[in-house]
Amino acid sequence: MSIPIVSTKLYIPPPRAKAVSRPRLIERLDQGMHRKLTLISASAGCGKTTLVSEWLAGCLQPAAWLSLEEADRDPARFLTYLFAALQTIGIRSGEGVMGMLQAPGPLPMETILTAVLNKITAIPDRFILVLDDYHVIDSRLIDDAIGFLLERMPAQMHLVIITREDPDLSLARLRVRDQLTELRTADLRFTSSEAAEFLGQVMGLRLSQEDVAVLESRTEGWIAGLQLAALSMQGHPKDAASMIRSFTGSHHFVLDYLVEEVLQQQSASMQAFLLRTSILDRLCGPLCDAVLRGGTDELLSGQETLQYLERANLFIVPLDNERRWYRYHHLFADLLRQRLYQTTGGSSKGEAKRDVEELHLRASEWYEDHGLELEAFHHAAAAHDVERAVRLIEGEGMPLLFRGAIAPVLNWLDSMPKEELDARPVLSVMHASALLMAGQPADVERKLQAAEKGLQGAAQDDNKTRDLKGHIAAIRATLAVNTHQADAIIAESRRALEYLHPDNLPVRTATTWTLGYAYQLQGDRAAASQAYTEALSISRTIGHYMITMMATLGLGSIQEMDNRLYVAAETYRHALHLAGDPPLPVVCEAHLGLARIFYEWNDLETAMHHGQQAVRLTQQLQQTDRVVAGEVVLARLKLARGEVTEAAACLAKAEHIARRQNFVKQTPHIVAAQVLVLLHQGLVAAAAHLAQKHELPLSQARVHLAQGEASAALALLQPLREQAEAKGWEDERLKITVLQAVVLHAQGEKRKAVQALVEALTIAQSGGCIRTFVDEGIPMRRLLSEAVTLETIPDYAGKLLDEFEAERLNGESKPAPRQVRPDKSLIEPLSVRELEILQLVAQGLSNHEISERLFLALSTVKGYNRNIFDKLQVKRRTEAVARARELGLL
């Protein structure tokens, strides 16, 4: 019979019924509420969690509590539980976040947190977030995420970190800004009076004042030591004094000794329960019963035993208010596991190992029966049951890897002996797939070759062998997508579809998508569209999240190439919706598409927003040329705004990255943009050399036009136009025809120029294309001005002339950028972004208006405001403006 599975991470530990009141510490916690962070950093067993629990019990603000464990160092797991904790107090992260966390690939931590900060900013009341046992995380990514959170934390939120070690955060900076409250081991030590109250009222011991003082001195006020000592003395009340006198040594050794004493005072069945259930990270009654399976006297059920352990203070922590799930104190669990190997299986280490593996196997079976396949896999791996682990990874129709469990599967495979992997080709294929999804493609081919070597002796007509060969080919096809090798993609994709089992829809669907990408690379846009459509239909049916996203992006790019810009924009927006808020890094392609489209619509501000979003997301991807594509888009935008030097800098960066990582497919796009920059700078000879060196006919035609060689330009453009028409490439046809019109007009062939212009206007109007014309500058404006007098010219020409006029007026009225020198009287100068926000504050814009103007999250704007106030040493916006004027910053 199944039981409800509740969140096993979230709880607010209630104060113990007879806990010692510590008003001196409660007062310090209350006084620190105006700061950002309360850090309680002390050694194990100092009463950190109990203290915070007591404080929260009397606190007016609601609290979200997250108790951490070692497995939470995985960023996706950490964020999942963090958002679940916030949800307990009414703060929802949004539907897109959970889908994002379950998808493969690197996580965009900052964008995820920004989305949640936006949710927090919208709530009216203050609250407290507690991260307990933070030291077990030991993750640079999570430290960075918490640092990001602290830097931009809304005023409604107060963070409490409970840890044994100082976190790797900017604590010194927080201290200087009076944003940090600290409680450490010395603060948490029990005084003599507190120790006497604890030992007498809580533990029920009758000790003399002298005995209490000795014990308090020997333990240095360490609450865990006091508790362990008291538990030992409860069994020997007459020998309490002698036990106290012999109570020496560092507390780590004392803990080992006293746990032995506590265990020995328990019944044999209770000791067996503690030792055998110590393999579990979390415990509930039915799970314990399944693991023990007749291994104790069974006088009590698993649930009754857990409740007894809680009442007896035997180092067990409730994980939910219903008292269904528990965990052992971390140190207690470690020692229990150590003793488990010493006491299980008699004198044989091999027998002890087999007994422990049997316990893990029972846990795996229970978790699988209750639909918790990831936990079932964890215990199958611990039981060294490779067949079971592989079956659980493969899942039922949708592999565990495709459901976001990349890190645990990859860690297990990385830990496997090479001989074990080589003997099982399926493991090598899984390893290759996991590496590819984790963004580590370097070692993928070696794993695939190992799998192929292992399959040489297998029956080649066996369905499983054929499916495995198909999976290998599908992985190679995806590798070829990263390097844009169309022939390799098609060959491997077709091989994959030939070998894959018809029921293997997840991999077959991914292969259909790779074929679509190959067709797109070859210029067969109709075939690409058909493949994307098929992949999209199947992926939606089976719930293959990533392929749904990739196929949508592919369709958007085809629509954009066909000049169906309005349809393409909607498709890209749908892809952003699929990616959630915050988005997956792979959706940078949607932002790139929207940047290009809004650029074409001459909405440069919105285009720049999407371009910057794209570049930011590409930085979270490994070994991808998308970062180069993003820099080229930004360069075109800067060039359109007259920022020629900045555009050249973007292209220099793009060229450096492309050369360093051998992104040769991006070279034509970089060079074409560089030619435009050189022509804007009047460096025609340099532009000519670059265009000729890389054999770019469209760029060469522009150079010929700049050199006054119209005939040479037309000779290059005509075959390009014929090729575009033959292939149905509407985007290329439009660009070529527009340039032809300008060249013909420059040559004096006005009738032909107007004919070309009319054709270009007809193509452009349905997609709302503007920038393709405006970028041609004064020659195009002259041609349009002459053409509008003709009856045959489309009305769209008038719209373009209006855009030219707006461009001219904008260029004339745009003030020169102001160079602001940070005042040397400031301890820490304002950044460029902070100065920009300060200017808008001075103009009277609200935080919400600033966030919309700069495309920043509202919480980010508030974070910048706090930084500005701190640096200017003010408390309010009006004071900040006055101080800035005084320093000459405005």
Side-chain angles (χ1 to χ4, degrees), residues 761 769-770 773-774 784 796-805:
L761 291 171
C769 299
I770 296 172
F773 297 87
V774 173
L784 284 168
Y796 198 64
K799 174 180 174 58
L800 292 176
L801 279 175
D802 292 340
E803 295 288 343
F804 269 108
E805 182 64 16

Side-chain angles (χ1 to χ4, degrees), residues 398 478 481 493 497 504-520 526-556 558 574 578:
M398 186 64 68
T478 306
V481 165
S493 297
L497 292 173
N504 193 347
L505 291 181
V507 182
R508 293 185 71 89
T509 306
T511 304
T512 303
W513 169 77
T514 57
L515 273 174
Y517 188 77
Y519 297 148
Q520 184 174 338
S529 180
Q530 182 178 352
Y532 288 147
T533 302
E534 181 182 349
L536 183 60
S537 175
I538 299 173
S539 64
R540 283 173 173 169
T541 301
I542 65 176
H544 200 319
Y545 176 76
M546 280 300 296
I547 296 303
T548 299
M549 168 120 31
M550 300 308 296
T552 300
L553 289 170
L555 285 174
I558 297 296
H574 181 58
L578 288 173

Side-chain angles (χ1 to χ4, degrees), residues 477-513:
T478 306
L479 276 175
V481 165
N482 291 340
T483 51
H484 314 295
Q485 302 175 46
D487 292 341
I489 296 171
I490 291 174
E492 295 295 344
S493 297
R494 288 176 176 169
R495 175 178 170 81
L497 292 173
E498 177 186 353
Y499 280 91
L500 284 168
H501 192 279
D503 293 338
N504 193 347
L505 291 181
V507 182
R508 293 185 71 89
T509 306
T511 304
T512 303
W513 169 77

